[in-house]
Amino acid sequence: MLSAPPENIEDCCCLSALSCFRANLNLHFNITEKKQKKLYKSLNSSITERGLNFCNPGSDTATCQDCDLHPKVNVQEFFQSLESLIQRAITKLTMK
């Protein structure tokens, strides 16, 4: 079971959610294998972070939940939530 931020996470907490996903990948998976390493590297990319930075400058900063406090889910749900977060970034980047 892995901690996974919910799919409907607040916009200003998307970077925090990304950080949580990265921490879980690093802790629970063998990221020395080629596919896992590629995924982990792309999640660390500045492009990915820019795509998930939904906070407007000067807006109130959301209080984001600590990674350990997110619900524990199975691996399939973990990757579904991660995919949903990545889709949000892709949508934002393609709308520019």
Side-chain angles (χ1 to χ4, degrees), residues 33-95:
E33 292 181 26
K34 189 174 184 177
K35 287 181 183 179
Q36 287 86 347
K37 194 176 203 176
K38 190 173 185 177
L39 172 62
Y40 188 75
K41 185 177 178 183
S42 68
L43 293 177
N44 280 305
S45 165
S46 61
I47 294 170
T48 304
E49 290 183 359
R50 268 196 316 268
L52 288 169
N53 189 1
F54 293 116
C55 276
N56 294 321
S59 68
D60 290 341
T61 317
T63 304
C64 304
Q65 200 171 22
D66 286 340
C67 189
D68 294 339
L69 298 177
H70 288 296
K72 301 281 186 195
V73 297
N74 64 36
V75 173
Q76 183 176 355
E77 291 176 78
F78 175 82
F79 282 108
Q80 284 174 342
S81 294
L82 176 57
E83 180 180 17
S84 175
L85 188 68
I86 293 168
Q87 286 296 331
R88 282 174 83 173
I90 291 169
T91 300
K92 180 183 176 189
L93 290 170
T94 57
M95 294 178 83

Side-chain angles (χ1 to χ4, degrees), residues 14-32:
C14 286
L15 288 175
S16 172
L18 176 64
S19 194
C20 183
F21 282 116
R22 286 190 300 225
N24 273 284
L25 283 170
N26 194 25
L27 183 64
H28 297 288
F29 295 94
N30 181 8
I31 57 171
T32 58

